[in-house]
Amino acid sequence: MAAPMSLLVEFGGGAELLFDGVKKHQVTLPCQPEPWDIRNLLKWIKQNLLKERPELFIQGDTVRPGILVLINDADWELMGELDYKLQDQDNVVFISTLHGG
Amino acid sequence: MVVCVALCMTVGPYSGNRLALIVSFPSCAEKCMKCKEASPVLVIRVGDAFCKACFREYFVHKFRAMLGKNRAIYPGEKVLLALSGGPASSSMLRQVQEVSAPQRSNSLHLASLVCYSEGAVCGQSLAERGDTLLQMETILQASRFPYHLAHLEEVFDLPSSILQHAPHNPTGPKNSYKEAVEGFIRQQRREEGGSPSLPERQIQEKLAEVSLRDVPGMEGLADPEARLLAAVRTEQLIRLFGSVKTLTAKEELLQTLRNHLILHTARTQGYSKVMMGESCTRLAVKLLTNLSLGRGASLAMDTGFSDDRHGDVVVVRPMREYSAKEIAFYNHLFGVPTVFTPALDTKALEKASIHRVIERFVYGLQAEFPSTVSTVYRTGEKLSVTPGDASPAAEPERCLLCLCALDTNVGKCKRCLPAPG
């Protein structure tokens, strides 16, 4: 049972356009039976934060190629990508490197 | 470096497996691969993880090495930086500032910026454009370099000379790089010994002041007549882009007009070098896009380090060895300010234009095979222009819009010719 946790989720490089142009989101994830990882977070973002065109942000169960993910200012490739177990007060940043965001 | 490329290419098809291996054993990247001490913050290539300090050093060094290796900028030469406010050009500005630090001997003191604004055709309202410009100006002023603002609307007032190749001025620094460097050092010594010159910083401030007064900014718009003219120009521009049917053609039109605008600014202000901030990811996409658009013959010009199609103004691309990922990380980690402006294809469908399709193709492959971009980019690096067989001395016929040599009269290929004897 994962306790509710608070995260700072940020979007940049044009990705914020899909979130009403808001770059920083202070979010609280609810309790759920399995622990929170990036895979679950992406699903949660798709259902709760994403305002339009989900295919421009998420493809399959991961982010669209060209969108970088930083967990606490480090490359998610070093943290286990989708399987990274989120901690309370983590900072997750999504930066689009695609032309036009 | 050659060994490394060959390796990447031979392991290409298996990279997916290699990646899977690394993901399942994250312990292999516990320390920075360079200093072997600090914990890493990003993976540049498969298996190469850098810590923050080493990454910064690597990034700054690469810029200096790029300019040094290509001997692109002569000492004391005036350089114009083309800025859009996007990640690559903003990071380029930061690199030029790093190189221009007063303690550096080989610095770019005479750099200046041109910022172009094309919000009108990308669906930005007047208020949004004002906002973007304000953000840009804050960055430009903070940089302390003199700057010029160029609106895409100004293309209607460009002289027709913009469509002509201007031969290189022979009185310029045509002699060897070494001579130029020596001449510069001699001149500096003379200045130090002779009349007391203003400190560098003071000169820069003066320059900035002067250029600020030149900018036809807000005070110009206060005049109702000028405002009306600006509105008419914007209307014309929107109509021009509206008359173009496909997004592919719009992208190409925008690129052509933008290049003309930058070239015009460089010529009127007397710059012989323009720096553009295209990253290697962008150039890989551009290379395949241009192939698809039938611009294969101009690839070397369109994607190479230095592009001298205009004759008097040479375009250089010092950011072409950085991937989009490196640039995004650098900007994020070191607080480089960027301004996001929507492009023509923002929120467009994935198959809306050839540019878009190719971009998706390259990024999609890159996600599975991390050496895709570098392989495409390095292939492009090997392209070079060979002068026409017929008369290498004669001036080649050029395309009116992009000024590349025409490739419409190439004759038959060797295979089609009848075999000799």
Side-chain angles (χ1 to χ4, degrees):
Chain A
M1 188 73 185
M5 63 172 89
S6 150
L7 299 176
L8 177 61
V9 180
E10 293 176 57
F11 301 95
E16 69 271 19
L17 292 185
L18 304 173
F19 299 86
D20 266 351
V22 182
K23 286 191 169 180
K24 291 192 181 191
H25 298 254
Q26 187 72 50
V27 301
T28 308
L29 299 179
C31 292
Q32 67 162 24
E34 70 252 39
W36 279 102
D37 55 17
I38 298 285
R39 201 185 309 268
N40 295 331
L41 176 70
L42 286 175
K43 273 186 212 153
W44 185 87
I45 287 177
K46 189 175 173 183
Q47 283 158 7
N48 296 280
L49 289 182
L50 205 55
K51 294 289 188 278
E52 54 181 317
R53 310 290 297 277
E55 75 279 7
L56 293 185
F57 186 71
I58 288 179
Q59 269 177 17
D61 65 347
T62 186
V63 288
R64 180 176 169 210
I67 295 183
L68 303 174
V69 186
L70 284 78
I71 304 166
N72 300 328
D73 275 352
D75 194 347
W76 76 329
E77 287 180 34
L78 294 162
M79 320 283 271
E81 302 197 14
L82 291 171
D83 296 319
Y84 171 77
K85 300 275 177 291
L86 288 162
Q87 315 281 321
D88 197 33
Q89 305 302 327
D90 269 353
N91 174 16
V92 184
V93 184
F94 297 90
I95 303 175
S96 172
T97 60
L98 295 151
H99 190 236
Chain B
M1 212 28 135
V2 176
V3 180
C4 164
V5 175
L7 196 73
C8 295
M9 284 164 81
T10 48
V11 299
Y14 306 105
S15 316
N17 296 341
R18 267 165 46 119
L19 190 67
L21 268 177
I22 285 164
V23 171
S24 54
F25 298 108
S27 59
C28 72
E30 267 173 2
K31 292 278 175 264
C32 164
M33 57 92 68
K34 203 165 174 205
C35 64
K36 313 259 187 310
E37 279 172 14
S39 52
V41 294
L42 102 142
V43 182
I44 291 177
R45 289 167 295 260
V46 179
D48 286 359
F50 276 52
C51 70
K52 197 172 165 179
C54 290
F55 173 58
R56 179 160 195 240
E57 204 175 292
Y58 154 89
F59 200 94
V60 176
H61 172 78
K62 196 145 93 169
F63 190 80
R64 204 167 290 136
M66 190 74 184
L67 291 184
K69 185 177 78 184
N70 293 288
R71 303 196 155 180
I73 312 292
Y74 288 82
E77 193 169 18
K78 282 175 84 182
V79 181
L80 186 68
L81 273 74
L83 297 183
S84 64
S89 55
S90 306
S91 150
M92 175 171 76
L93 170 58
R94 173 65 69 90
Q95 296 317 304
V96 170
Q97 284 174 312
E98 294 264 357
V99 178
S100 319
Q103 67 270 25
R104 300 260 166 226
S105 57
N106 184 16
S107 58
L108 296 167
H109 290 307
L110 295 167
S112 166
L113 319 169
V114 56
C115 158
Y116 46 92
S117 140
E118 46 205 34
V121 295
C122 298
Q124 273 190 306
S125 68
L126 207 59
E128 286 169 329
R129 293 183 62 192
D131 256 12
T132 309
L133 271 183
L134 213 64
Q135 287 181 46
M136 278 305 303
E137 288 213 61
T138 318
I139 295 179
L140 294 170
Q141 280 166 12
S143 77
R144 311 182 71 94
F145 286 120
Y147 67 89
H148 319 274
L149 283 177
H151 297 268
L152 197 61
E153 281 86 344
E154 291 165 33
V155 293
F156 292 110
D157 307 319
L158 291 184
S160 61
S161 63
I162 217 78
L163 300 174
Q164 280 154 14
H165 173 89
H168 192 284
N169 182 7
T171 55
K174 192 83 177 161
N175 41 4
S176 80
Y177 186 83
K178 196 165 168 248
E179 281 170 43
V181 175
E182 280 167 358
F184 180 74
I185 293 172
R186 265 201 304 277
Q187 189 193 333
Q188 264 197 333
R189 284 215 186 108
R190 255 203 310 275
E191 273 175 16
E192 274 165 23
S195 61
S197 63
L198 283 170
E200 210 61 56
R201 188 159 292 267
Q202 241 172 304
I203 294 178
Q204 286 207 358
E205 271 167 26
K206 282 247 160 72
L207 276 172
E209 268 172 40
V210 170
S211 74
L212 272 178
R213 263 180 265 131
D214 291 346
V215 178
M218 298 307 162
E219 60 269 57
L221 285 178
D223 178 14
E225 223 169 275
R227 203 184 296 173
L228 187 69
L229 186 68
V232 170
R233 286 284 189 244
T234 307
E235 185 61 33
Q236 274 181 311
L237 197 63
I238 292 172
R239 222 174 323 134
L240 171 67
F241 274 81
S243 69
V244 179
K245 294 283 179 292
T246 65
L247 187 59
T248 305
K250 278 185 195 167
E251 293 272 7
E252 287 300 302
L253 174 64
L254 179 59
Q255 219 158 343
T256 309
L257 294 181
R258 183 196 295 145
N259 284 345
H260 287 169
L261 196 58
I262 294 171
L263 175 66
H264 178 67
T265 314
R267 278 193 182 154
T268 48
Q269 311 286 339
Y271 294 94
S272 50
K273 291 274 160 61
V274 176
M275 281 189 182
M276 301 264 230
E278 288 150 305
S279 68
C280 89
T281 316
R282 284 275 281 160
L283 284 174
V285 172
K286 193 172 174 185
L287 191 128
L288 294 177
T289 306
N290 285 4
L291 267 182
S292 323
L293 289 171
R295 290 187 54 85
S298 326
L299 278 184
M301 286 271 186
D302 286 338
T303 62
F305 173 77
S306 126
D307 173 354
D308 58 356
R309 70 178 80 169
H310 304 296
D312 52 346
V313 177
V314 178
V315 174
V316 292
R317 304 188 174 91
M319 299 303 284
R320 70 197 289 271
E321 291 214 345
Y322 298 95
S323 69
K325 179 179 174 178
E326 286 170 42
I327 291 172
F329 264 87
Y330 184 86
N331 290 352
H332 180 81
L333 293 175
F334 302 106
V336 177
T338 60
V339 182
F340 176 77
T341 41
L344 278 173
D345 58 358
T346 294
K347 291 195 201 168
L349 293 172
E350 289 211 311
K351 291 177 185 160
S353 70
I354 291 180
H355 305 78
R356 194 82 172 172
V357 173
I358 303 276
E359 186 184 43
R360 182 183 160 215
F361 170 71
V362 170
Y363 275 96
L365 264 182
Q366 174 77 12
E368 280 177 63
F369 306 106
S371 49
T372 302
V373 165
S374 63
T375 309
V376 173
Y377 161 75
R378 300 225 178 268
T379 312
E381 220 174 21
K382 296 188 180 79
L383 299 170
S384 62
V385 194
T386 50
D389 299 333
S391 51
E395 181 66 9
E397 271 192 276
R398 291 176 186 276
C399 164
L400 183 66
L401 292 177
C402 74
L403 284 172
C404 286
L406 287 184
D407 64 329
T408 46
N409 189 19
V410 286
K412 285 187 173 174
C413 71
K414 278 183 187 151
R415 276 203 177 173
C416 306
L417 291 173

